[in-house]
Amino acid sequence: MENEELTLVDELKTLVDGLAEQSAEAIMNAKEKVEQLKNQFYRVSNFTEEAEKQFRELLQVYKSKRAEVTKATEEQMEQNLLRKENILDQMKTMAQAETADVMGNLQKMRDLQTEWKSIGAVPQNKVQTLWKQYQLYQEQFYDLVKINIELRDLDFKKNLELKTLLCEAAEKLKENPNIVEANRALQQLHDEWAEIGPVARELREDIWNRFKEASSVINKKHQAYFDELHAKEGENLERKQAIIEKLKAIDFSSFKSNKAWDDASKKVEELQNEWRTIGFAPKKHNQAIYEEYRTVCDTFYKAKTAFYKGLRDTFSENLRLKRELIAKAEELKNSTAWKEASDALIDLQKEWKKVGPVARKYSDEVWKQFSDICDSFFNAKREQEKEIRNKKRETRNEKAFESGDRNKLVRMYENLTQEIKTAENNILFFSGKSKSANKLVEDMQKKIDGLKKDLNDLEAKINAIDAAD
């Protein structure tokens, strides 16, 4: 999650920094992308306070830029309004003049029309009024000056051609599968319509009705689209509520193992991925449902963090205990008090098995230290026992050959039997994960096999004495 939140912060920073040299239009158009990044960021299940602080600061920078653009745009719109009102004053003067220089005023009117079209947007609440006055003064002017009918018809014809093209463009918009894009394009066509002069009086109603009818088709589709969108938002709300209920149903209070938390984490991640595929809920519910979702997820991850913190404390204590055992084993490593040291090391091995696990990054290290110490001692002990055993075997053989004394052979047989039993019992405690530990077990098994061979030899000699008697 951490990587995802940092990526979103970086992406927003890149976007905001890049707007420094962009046009006002680009800054305003960036709103959709900024909102998208904002939604993605707050969908991250567990972002840091620092990341959120950086993200909010970047949002504020963008809002400031947008506010500056908005202020500048509003100021420009006021200037545009003044310019258009000035043009209307001039048009009104020409339209209401009792006498007129027809040709002179005609060119002036066209110049004013050209200037009017070059002026940008004005405050929305003034658009309709200005447009009506503009149309009125145009019509009054053309009626007043009584220009040549052919010239007037030429202007009407040109305007009719332009409005017919707009009708055709509006009618074609119904083929656009993207209704939002089609509606935006329709609004542009309406803006262009408003800038075109009048057509012949007898054609005005027909051409307007055609344009209005084409607009109505798009408007109905646009309304249907949003009706469907609202219905979808209702379904989205239900789906999100269902996900929250599934998250609440995860009873993590009884989790005692890594596996339980891992399995639950996978399930939570699956539900979070499903959440991200669902669109917005209705506006009045969207923020509330998201906050509830975040609360449930945060509760889960806080409990998980607490569990692993406790687990780390346990691992730390186990590591301390195992290092103490290593230190004790190190003290016995070079001891030649074979019996006492061997028993002590075997006891340490038993304690080692009782101590729980440590963190994975230390597990192999401490085990190798401990097993190497044990291997070193028992290898030395094995060599010593091997030497002693060889001497004892030589002594037993010499005594057996010197005597055929049956009682001594029987005692030797009993002692050898006990030695084999002791060796077989001790081999159960010699275990490890290293090759040296395994070699020690193999060598002890060979020792037992040798003792058993000696036992068979003694048994044969005792039987031979008994047979001779």
Side-chain angles (χ1 to χ4, degrees), residues 133-392:
Q133 290 180 329
Y134 180 78
Q135 294 286 15
L136 173 64
Y137 295 148
Q138 281 189 120
E139 293 176 5
Q140 288 180 348
F141 173 76
Y142 286 119
D143 290 339
L144 179 65
V145 297
K146 299 180 179 179
I147 61 173
N148 184 282
I149 190 62
E150 293 181 358
L151 182 58
R152 178 171 175 168
D153 287 346
L154 183 62
D155 281 344
F156 284 168
K157 181 180 180 182
K158 178 182 177 182
N159 294 340
L160 179 62
E161 290 174 353
L162 292 174
K163 290 190 173 182
T164 300
L165 290 176
L166 292 183
C167 289
E168 292 173 352
E171 290 165 350
K172 192 173 182 180
L173 286 177
K174 65 182 180 182
E175 301 174 7
N176 190 333
N178 188 330
I179 189 60
V180 175
E181 181 181 289
N183 186 71
R184 190 180 298 117
L186 179 64
Q187 300 312 309
Q188 179 63 34
L189 294 179
H190 273 265
D191 291 340
E192 294 179 27
W193 182 281
E195 299 298 333
I196 299 174
V199 300
R201 188 179 302 274
E202 67 272 14
L203 298 176
R204 291 174 189 173
E205 185 174 356
D206 290 342
I207 194 67
W208 169 247
N209 287 338
R210 179 180 177 183
F211 186 65
K212 184 170 65 173
E213 184 177 347
S215 300
S216 178
V217 172
I218 303 303
N219 289 332
K220 287 180 180 179
K221 282 189 174 183
H222 192 253
Q223 183 61 45
Y225 168 78
F226 278 98
D227 289 343
E228 182 180 355
L229 186 62
H230 292 323
K232 183 65 176 178
E233 287 176 348
E235 295 176 8
N236 292 342
L237 177 62
E238 293 179 0
R239 291 179 64 189
K240 288 186 173 183
Q241 288 172 333
I243 288 177
I244 290 175
E245 292 306 315
K246 290 179 181 179
L247 288 170
K248 288 181 177 180
I250 300 175
D251 182 16
F252 51 81
S253 62
S254 61
F255 291 173
K256 304 297 182 184
S257 66
N258 285 337
K259 185 178 186 307
W261 280 104
D262 287 343
D263 291 343
S265 295
K266 290 178 182 178
K267 185 174 182 181
V268 170
E269 289 175 6
E270 289 175 358
L271 292 172
Q272 288 177 330
N273 290 334
E274 182 181 351
W275 178 280
R276 295 186 184 102
T277 65
I278 302 174
F280 291 109
K283 186 175 182 179
K284 65 179 180 179
H285 298 294
N286 195 60
Q287 186 62 28
I289 195 71
Y290 178 71
E291 290 177 357
E292 184 178 6
Y293 164 76
R294 280 292 306 279
T295 299
V296 175
C297 289
D298 288 347
T299 300
F300 173 83
Y301 283 109
K302 285 179 182 178
K304 181 180 178 181
T305 299
F307 169 79
Y308 279 103
K309 183 180 183 301
L311 197 61
R312 286 194 296 272
D313 293 342
T314 300
F315 283 168
S316 179
E317 175 63 14
N318 292 342
L319 180 61
R320 184 188 68 78
L321 294 174
K322 288 194 172 183
R323 283 177 171 164
E324 286 183 358
L325 294 177
I326 290 172
K328 292 178 181 179
E330 185 69 35
E331 294 175 358
L332 298 170
K333 178 179 179 181
N334 298 318
S335 175
T336 56
W338 304 110
K339 178 66 170 64
E340 293 80 359
S342 177
D343 290 343
L345 277 174
I346 291 173
D347 288 340
L348 291 179
Q349 288 176 330
K350 292 178 180 178
E351 290 184 46
W352 183 278
K353 292 180 179 178
K354 292 178 182 178
V355 178
V358 300
R360 186 175 300 174
K361 63 180 179 179
Y362 298 114
S363 180
D364 291 341
E365 174 191 341
V366 293
W367 167 247
K368 187 175 187 306
Q369 291 177 1
F370 185 70
S371 62
D372 285 350
I373 293 171
C374 292
D375 290 348
S376 176
F377 172 81
F378 285 113
N379 284 337
K381 182 175 182 293
R382 176 174 56 81
E383 292 299 323
Q384 178 66 17
E385 289 178 340
K386 182 177 181 182
E387 182 179 346
I388 294 173
R389 188 168 63 252
N390 290 338
K391 289 180 180 179
K392 285 184 177 181

Side-chain angles (χ1 to χ4, degrees), residues 35-52:
E35 288 296 323
Q36 180 183 356
L37 291 174
K38 178 181 176 182
N39 290 333
Q40 289 178 330
F41 181 85
Y42 283 106
R43 287 176 185 169
V44 174
S45 63
N46 190 18
F47 49 76
T48 63
E49 292 182 359
E50 180 60 24
E52 185 178 20

